[in-house]
Amino acid sequence: MSSGPNTSTTALRLRLEPAVPAPGLVDGAWWPYSRDLHKELPALLAALSTRLTRIDRVIYHVEDWPPPHRRLIVGAGVVRLEGFRSQPPASVTVIAWGGQRLVLQVVPPETAPDVAREAFRTVSDASTAGGSRSPAPA
């Protein structure tokens, strides 16, 4: 498992698209520093809390991440982590208690910066052009 930089002192690499009223779009892109969900998710969930109410769970593609613990304590709450093969690869879905959800394309941590920037731009282009829920290839 790659340790990566200390994400508590490193800038979050996240691009969120403006909130859209119609479902079906990828809501943004996230470029974590490592494949350790327990280390990477707290900063991501804190950033997403401005758009979502209380976050209940994170769904990830089971083959993209080493098996994490099933629960993550964030602030005063607990977030469930659920891995599924049916979740599109290179994506996570963050679900709030009220049913709100955000789908993020995950740019693999080992991706070169120029390729990651292109993936972020591709997600933005797909969102503004009415793209699908499927993440763009990283």
Side-chain angles (χ1 to χ4, degrees):
M1 191 179 314
S2 170
S3 62
N6 179 349
T7 54
S8 65
T9 59
T10 311
L12 182 65
R13 300 184 297 190
L14 173 69
R15 178 176 184 150
L16 281 179
E17 295 306 312
V20 293
L25 300 177
V26 172
D27 300 297
W30 173 47
W31 185 20
Y33 291 93
S34 74
R35 291 195 179 267
D36 182 344
L37 280 174
H38 272 261
K39 184 176 182 179
E40 299 292 337
L41 283 176
L44 174 67
L45 299 180
L48 297 179
S49 69
T50 61
R51 177 130 6 139
L52 298 174
T53 57
R54 185 174 166 197
I55 296 172
D56 178 47
R57 59 190 165 136
V58 174
I59 299 173
Y60 60 93
H61 183 74
V62 72
E63 294 175 11
D64 288 348
W65 303 88
H69 297 282
R70 305 265 310 158
R71 299 188 190 297
L72 175 67
I73 297 175
V74 179
V78 175
V79 176
R80 294 180 295 164
L81 306 180
E82 300 175 345
F84 295 102
R85 283 182 172 67
S86 59
Q87 173 74 14
S91 71
V92 294
T93 301
V94 181
I95 303 173
W97 278 48
Q100 298 170 291
R101 65 181 54 220
L102 293 174
V103 176
L104 301 175
Q105 174 182 337
V106 176
V107 178
E110 58 277 359
T111 303
D114 57 333
V115 176
R117 281 190 295 276
E118 179 65 22
F120 272 49
R121 190 175 56 72
T122 301
V123 166
S124 179
D125 292 348
S127 290
T128 57
S132 69
R133 174 72 74 188
S134 300

